[in-house]
Amino acid sequence: MQKPYRIKTISEFHQLRGLPKPEHPLISVVDYGSIIHSSDFNLTSWTLDFYSISLKRNSAVKMKYGQQEYDFDDGILFFMAPGQVFRIEIGNDRKPEHSGWILLVHPDFIWNSTLAKNIRKYEYFDYSVNEALFLSEKEEVVLNDIVGNIRQEYHSNIDKFSQDIIISHIITLLNYAERFYHRQFITRKITNHKILDRLEEILVEYFREGDLREKGLPSVQYVAELLNVSPKYLSGLLNVLTGQSTQQHIHNKLIEQAKERLSTTDLPITAIAYELGFEHSQSFSKLFKSKTKLTPVEFRRSFN
């Protein structure tokens, strides 16, 4: 397998994409209409040493990220953190019609700032391509204005206030994206509720098969792969729709199994804990009480 080509600097990105030298070495706003697409980009995968936030529209470009791919025919927003691998493909029968922008931000630009400390909280940097953010026209206008302010600020004479002002604009952009993702989780009800239904089926089947002593609890990664979504996207979706993370859903299903055994069998608590994959019954009892406010013994007594 060919090793991804690493683009270390924003200046190198500009050079590879046929763009003039960036006005600032650590931050740049690129218009898609200015990008020159080369067939060389079809020959390899790429990884960046900086953040990339892209608004793409009608680009006739297919992008591969991991095992997923997406055709950017609609206006969408996509985020990439440093070190993520991607590949761009241009169909031979399609002429690219570029529209949109890319905001490139090197980690050194935000070093020692509030954003540097908090940027990992924006979990959509870990989403897959097919989990990109679909924007309404009004939402797109909001983000275009913010990016326009960023561009104007670093085009102006740089002074001691410039960096803080630009970082504040970036934080505003990321917070709006957080809001818009929340809206997307709610408005795409049919798709998202299908994911919820499928999650329930996966957990029911997993626990029905038993062998938790050997397999242990299903991991968030395992569940996300079966649902064909990224772990962070799944947890974000579930938090919006149900108020609980993926791990909490898994634990809830485990507690259902525990309640069934406690109320319908005479098995000792230690045996039930062992059947459910716990090496120590104390760990099982602690989790059970955190979920039900009762110890396993107290819960069993309530049925006698």
Side-chain angles (χ1 to χ4, degrees):
M1 185 175 182
Q2 188 177 17
K3 186 177 180 180
Y5 183 85
R6 179 182 173 190
I7 303 177
K8 299 179 182 179
T9 66
I10 292 175
S11 295
E12 184 182 2
F13 179 93
H14 273 241
Q15 181 180 5
L16 289 169
R17 305 303 266 151
L19 299 166
K21 184 178 178 180
E23 295 186 42
H24 193 293
L26 300 179
I27 187 165
S28 179
V29 177
V30 176
D31 287 323
Y32 265 100
S34 302
I35 291 177
I36 298 175
H37 285 281
S38 167
S39 59
D40 291 342
F41 266 71
N42 278 344
L43 302 179
T44 188
S45 297
W46 306 82
T47 183
L48 309 177
D49 281 1
F50 40 88
Y51 294 95
S52 169
I53 303 171
S54 308
L55 192 152
K56 303 186 179 185
R57 189 190 312 100
N58 299 321
S59 61
V61 168
K62 180 178 289 183
M63 186 172 182
K64 290 190 175 181
Y65 174 83
Q67 299 303 313
Q68 303 293 334
E69 63 179 39
Y70 194 89
D71 289 301
F72 291 111
D73 291 327
D74 299 304
I76 63 129
L77 197 67
F78 178 62
F79 300 81
M80 290 187 63
Q84 294 178 335
V85 179
F86 69 100
R87 178 173 177 150
I88 296 174
E89 293 185 0
I90 305 170
N92 295 327
D93 58 339
R94 303 171 71 183
K95 182 180 179 181
E97 298 176 1
H98 312 289
S99 180
W101 46 259
I102 313 174
L103 172 62
L104 306 172
V105 183
H106 197 281
D108 288 351
F109 185 81
I110 63 173
W111 180 80
N112 205 31
S113 68
T114 302
L115 178 57
K117 298 181 180 116
N118 297 328
I119 196 165
R120 296 309 300 172
K121 82 173 186 178
Y122 300 104
E123 295 185 341
Y124 43 72
F125 277 104
D126 293 318
Y127 291 177
S128 298
V129 171
N130 63 331
E131 298 157 353
L133 176 59
F134 290 79
L135 298 169
S136 70
E137 289 185 14
K138 289 182 179 179
E139 291 170 348
E140 194 171 320
V141 168
V142 169
L143 299 185
N144 285 341
D145 287 344
I146 296 171
V147 170
N149 289 334
I150 293 173
R151 190 201 305 261
Q152 181 179 348
E153 185 62 34
Y154 77 74
H155 276 196
S156 304
N157 293 326
I158 299 295
D159 57 31
K160 66 178 183 179
F161 302 103
S162 299
Q163 184 175 9
D164 288 341
I165 290 172
I166 292 173
I167 288 175
S168 69
H169 284 313
I170 296 172
I171 292 173
T172 301
L173 187 153
L174 296 177
N175 286 335
Y176 269 112
E178 190 96 348
R179 169 189 277 181
F180 299 157
Y181 255 115
H182 192 282
R183 182 269 309 155
Q184 180 164 295
F185 287 144
I186 294 172
T187 55
R188 302 183 74 188
K189 289 183 179 179
I190 295 177
T191 300
N192 293 335
H193 282 287
K194 283 181 179 178
I195 290 177
L196 279 176
D197 292 342
R198 179 65 183 133
L199 171 64
E200 178 68 15
E201 292 172 2
I202 288 170
L203 294 179
V204 167
E205 181 63 25
Y206 190 94
F207 283 98
R208 182 188 295 135
E209 290 176 354
D211 296 329
L212 291 177
R213 287 172 292 182
E214 300 294 330
K215 299 188 300 182
L217 288 178
S219 67
V220 174
Q221 181 72 37
Y222 169 84
V223 173
E225 286 179 359
L226 290 179
L227 290 169
N228 199 31
V229 296
S230 66
K232 292 290 180 68
Y233 184 88
L234 178 60
S235 284
L237 170 64
L238 293 177
N239 268 315
V240 170
L241 296 182
T242 69
Q244 295 185 320
S245 67
T246 311
Q247 190 68 61
Q248 287 173 311
H249 277 266
I250 293 170
H251 283 165
N252 289 344
K253 187 58 63 177
L254 174 71
I255 296 303
E256 285 181 18
Q257 298 292 313
K259 286 180 176 179
E260 180 181 349
R261 286 167 171 76
L262 288 167
S263 60
T264 62
T265 74
D266 295 323
L267 288 171
I269 304 300
T270 52
I272 293 174
Y274 186 59
E275 276 192 1
L276 294 176
F278 288 87
E279 186 175 349
H280 304 290
S281 61
Q282 295 93 330
S283 300
F284 164 67
S285 297
K286 184 177 180 180
L287 177 63
F288 190 90
K289 187 170 184 179
S290 72
K291 295 293 184 180
T292 67
K293 308 302 181 185
L294 298 170
T295 66
V297 172
E298 290 169 340
F299 180 83
R300 174 170 271 174
R301 284 176 182 165
S302 69
F303 281 87
N304 296 331

